Amino acid sequence: MAKGVSSKTHSQKELDNYANQHNPNNKAYKARVANDQATKKQSKKALTKQAKKRAKRQAEFEAEYGVMYPLDWMCSSNPYDFD
């Protein structure tokens, strides 16, 4: 698999931007890495909040309507056993 960008398909400006973003001694690289880390942290926080909200809604539902048990045992058993 080819890495980087080709001068056949990209302009010199695009090649320079790519090189700057992949050079650890460049401000553009440091900014890109910081942005990636900040974005990942935000998404993890968002997922955690969503999971907590979902668990809270499930607990409220169970408190209001009683515990709901899955009916997997009916799906995997023989339906003629209940005759």
Side-chain angles (χ1 to χ4, degrees), residues 1-6 18:
M1 175 140 197
K3 293 187 178 188
V5 291
S6 171
Y18 179 85

Short mmCIF file of all heavy atoms in Angstrom, two decimals, residues 1-6 18:
data_model
loop_
_atom_site.label_atom_id
_atom_site.label_comp_id
_atom_site.label_asym_id
_atom_site.label_seq_id
_atom_site.Cartn_x
_atom_site.Cartn_y
_atom_site.Cartn_z
N MET A 1 0.84 -1.17 0.00
CA MET A 1 0.00 0.00 0.00
C MET A 1 0.89 1.23 0.00
O MET A 1 1.84 1.34 0.76
CB MET A 1 -0.90 -0.04 1.22
CG MET A 1 -1.73 1.17 1.40
SD MET A 1 -3.35 0.65 1.96
CE MET A 1 -4.24 2.10 1.61
N ALA A 2 0.59 2.18 -0.85
CA ALA A 2 1.39 3.40 -0.96
C ALA A 2 1.12 4.32 0.21
O ALA A 2 0.01 4.44 0.70
CB ALA A 2 1.04 4.10 -2.26
N LYS A 3 2.18 4.96 0.66
CA LYS A 3 2.04 5.92 1.76
C LYS A 3 2.35 7.30 1.22
O LYS A 3 3.15 7.49 0.32
CB LYS A 3 3.02 5.59 2.89
CG LYS A 3 2.69 4.30 3.57
CD LYS A 3 3.57 4.09 4.76
CE LYS A 3 3.18 2.80 5.45
NZ LYS A 3 3.86 2.63 6.70
N GLY A 4 1.69 8.30 1.79
CA GLY A 4 1.93 9.67 1.36
C GLY A 4 1.03 10.06 0.21
O GLY A 4 0.00 9.46 -0.03
N VAL A 5 1.49 11.08 -0.50
CA VAL A 5 0.72 11.58 -1.64
C VAL A 5 1.62 11.64 -2.86
O VAL A 5 2.83 11.73 -2.76
CB VAL A 5 0.13 12.98 -1.34
CG1 VAL A 5 -0.94 12.89 -0.29
CG2 VAL A 5 1.20 13.95 -0.91
N SER A 6 1.02 11.61 -4.01
CA SER A 6 1.77 11.60 -5.26
C SER A 6 1.79 12.99 -5.88
O SER A 6 0.80 13.72 -5.86
CB SER A 6 1.11 10.63 -6.23
OG SER A 6 1.69 10.74 -7.51
N TYR A 18 0.91 18.42 3.30
CA TYR A 18 1.01 17.04 3.78
C TYR A 18 2.33 16.84 4.53
O TYR A 18 2.35 16.24 5.62
CB TYR A 18 0.92 16.05 2.62
CG TYR A 18 1.03 14.62 3.05
CD1 TYR A 18 -0.09 13.93 3.51
CD2 TYR A 18 2.25 13.95 3.04
CE1 TYR A 18 0.01 12.62 3.94
CE2 TYR A 18 2.36 12.64 3.47
CZ TYR A 18 1.24 11.98 3.91
OH TYR A 18 1.34 10.69 4.34
#
